[in-house]
Amino acid sequence: MRDSSRLTRRAALGLTAAVLPLAASTPASAATAIGGERLGRDGIQAGDAAGLPKKLTARSWLIADHKTGEVLAAYRAHQRLAPASTLKMLFADTVLGKFERTRTYRVTDADLADVPSGSSLVGVKPGIQYTVHQLWQGVFLRSGNDAVHVLSHMNGGIAATVAEMQAKANDLQALDTHVVSPDGFDHPGQVSSAYDLTLFARHGLHDDDFSSYCSTRVANFPAGGKKTFQIQNTDRLLSGAYGLRPYPGIIGVKNGYTSHAGNTFTGAATRDGRTLLVTVMHPKNGGNEVYKETAALLDWGFGKGSSAQAVGTLVDPLSEGGATASPVPSGAKGAPGASGRSASSASDGASPWPVLGGAAGAVAVLAGGAFALRRRRAAVAAAGSGESDGS
């Protein structure tokens, strides 16, 4: 694999992802009621909607208590959508504990050959030696797909890492998630949900390294020799960039943007000893909108939502004694996609890319993946957003 051309490696990535056993993840045409029956319903679910933000445009969102796991309110919590780089939270949940922070690694051309064209990059260069700590800073602060691919090759390769991420998602009971690439870049069939992304964040924040990386605002990154350059966290509620002020008590977690997915964000903030998690996926407008809607939900959660009755819960991982949850067919009463509509239809707010299986699916993924990798769409959802594909 490492001796093949860049195009061949990328094609192999798409093929490998397509032929992974899809039985391990729920089909995109099904809805789930994991975490409670109400979370499988369409429409806003809230125990007490008093003061709930009125102008939320996201296709899906969820707010939950980090400690108890109680879901305070949600909208299409299990809607499958392209996750963009918020999927890197699952990558960190899977790989972060495998290598010592002080371990060094000299990057090769082969480590970077399969980074998708148009990706967000931190600036990893072949021939330079990095510590694992520095690579993770590149992942969390700059959402660097180059850093993700280096760590994936250290972990046994892209295909092995994807398989491990899918297994991790299954253990976390994130059954809306289908992993195709470790970086979150647009690939046919790569989907997640507001519920699953919140699970990834909650699990990650129990790890000290994860918490430290996602809350770091700036760091110095190697440029070769003794030179470094400064990198800043692209989470605008943390950094306060592009006209936004840092959100009071913000502790991370991860943002994302691609031209297909639009903007996604999972954020966590602490106030008066209470930590809330919010995930917002695909608001209508780009730029700062995903952060504004997150901040509005946090304000509600810390305010009027503090006494709201839970509408569901974030389940525990199977490996930690979590009770097994089962998927519910999309035609079930109250589930997204009921009344004869497919939960994966674009008109229903889901990703237009269905999960593909079998030989035909493999061919389709190869074709779609090649197309996506050839695209270099630098346009962003709003002028001056400063974001790039795969961020």
Side-chain angles (χ1 to χ4, degrees):
M1 180 69 73
R2 287 177 178 261
D3 293 331
S4 59
S5 67
R6 177 178 299 190
L7 179 59
T8 301
R9 271 190 294 269
R10 291 177 179 174
L13 169 60
L15 179 59
T16 300
V19 299
L20 284 175
L22 299 188
S25 62
T26 307
S29 60
T32 59
I34 294 172
E37 182 269 337
R38 290 189 64 175
L39 298 184
R41 298 180 187 176
D42 204 349
I44 293 175
Q45 306 300 315
D48 181 1
L52 200 65
K54 302 295 184 182
K55 297 182 179 180
L56 298 175
T57 68
R59 291 185 181 182
S60 176
W61 55 262
L62 181 146
I63 177 169
D65 186 289
H66 174 263
K67 182 178 180 180
T68 66
E70 292 182 332
V71 177
L72 307 180
Y75 175 64
R76 293 183 171 180
H78 290 293
Q79 189 73 63
R80 289 171 175 80
L81 297 165
S85 282
T86 48
L87 194 65
K88 288 184 173 75
M89 293 187 293
L90 176 60
F91 174 70
D93 287 341
T94 305
V95 180
L96 185 57
K98 291 196 171 188
F99 309 113
E100 292 292 334
R101 290 160 57 100
T102 55
R103 176 176 169 178
T104 59
Y105 182 80
R106 189 172 300 279
V107 174
T108 68
D109 289 320
D111 294 325
L112 302 174
D114 43 24
V115 176
S117 177
S119 289
S120 57
L121 305 171
V122 65
V124 175
K125 301 296 182 184
I128 297 180
Q129 184 168 275
Y130 300 87
T131 65
V132 166
H133 172 66
Q134 290 164 338
L135 291 172
W136 280 114
Q137 287 179 323
V139 171
F140 276 92
L141 274 68
R142 296 303 302 175
S143 204
N145 287 3
D146 45 359
V148 169
H149 280 246
V150 171
L151 286 165
S152 295
H153 283 292
M154 292 175 64
N155 189 51
I158 299 297
T161 301
V162 166
E164 288 183 21
M165 288 173 64
Q166 189 66 65
K168 186 67 173 181
N170 295 340
D171 177 62
L172 296 175
Q173 305 201 66
L175 300 188
D176 303 320
T177 298
H178 178 63
V179 184
V180 178
S181 68
D183 48 39
F185 196 81
D186 288 342
H187 289 282
Q190 182 146 275
V191 290
S192 191
S193 68
Y195 184 86
D196 286 7
L197 294 176
T198 311
L199 283 180
F200 302 154
R202 187 184 186 216
H203 181 77
L205 288 171
H206 288 136
D207 181 272
D208 290 340
D209 284 340
F210 186 108
S211 298
S212 175
Y213 286 127
C214 77
S215 63
T216 300
R217 288 175 168 80
V218 296
N220 292 320
F221 199 77
K226 295 183 179 181
K227 296 181 179 180
T228 63
F229 59 93
Q230 190 178 85
I231 56 175
Q232 184 180 54
N233 201 310
T234 55
D235 173 357
R236 298 180 190 179
L237 289 187
L238 187 70
S239 68
Y242 293 95
L244 288 178
R245 293 182 179 180
Y247 188 84
I250 190 73
I251 56 175
V253 179
K254 190 70 189 74
N255 59 319
Y257 170 83
T258 66
S259 53
H260 169 67
N263 295 92
T264 59
F265 181 60
T266 298
T270 298
R271 187 178 300 176
D272 297 327
R274 187 187 191 200
T275 298
L276 295 180
L277 297 163
V278 170
T279 295
V280 172
M281 301 187 74
H282 304 211
K284 288 184 177 179
N285 298 318
N288 286 335
E289 189 63 27
V290 72
Y291 301 105
K292 290 179 179 179
E293 295 190 14
T294 297
L297 284 167
L298 286 170
D299 286 344
W300 175 82
F302 287 124
K304 294 182 178 179
S306 59
S307 59
Q309 183 178 359
V311 297
T313 187
L314 300 176
V315 296
D316 293 327
L318 295 174
S319 60
E320 297 176 15
T324 303
S326 58
V328 174
S330 61
K333 183 178 179 181
S339 303
R341 293 184 301 166
S342 168
S344 63
S345 67
S347 62
D348 211 31
S351 168
W353 288 345
V355 175
L356 305 174
V363 173
V365 168
L366 275 172
F371 170 76
L373 291 172
R374 288 195 302 266
R375 291 186 312 167
R376 295 189 61 90
R377 297 178 60 182
V380 296
S385 70
E387 294 170 338
S388 60
D389 274 14
S391 69

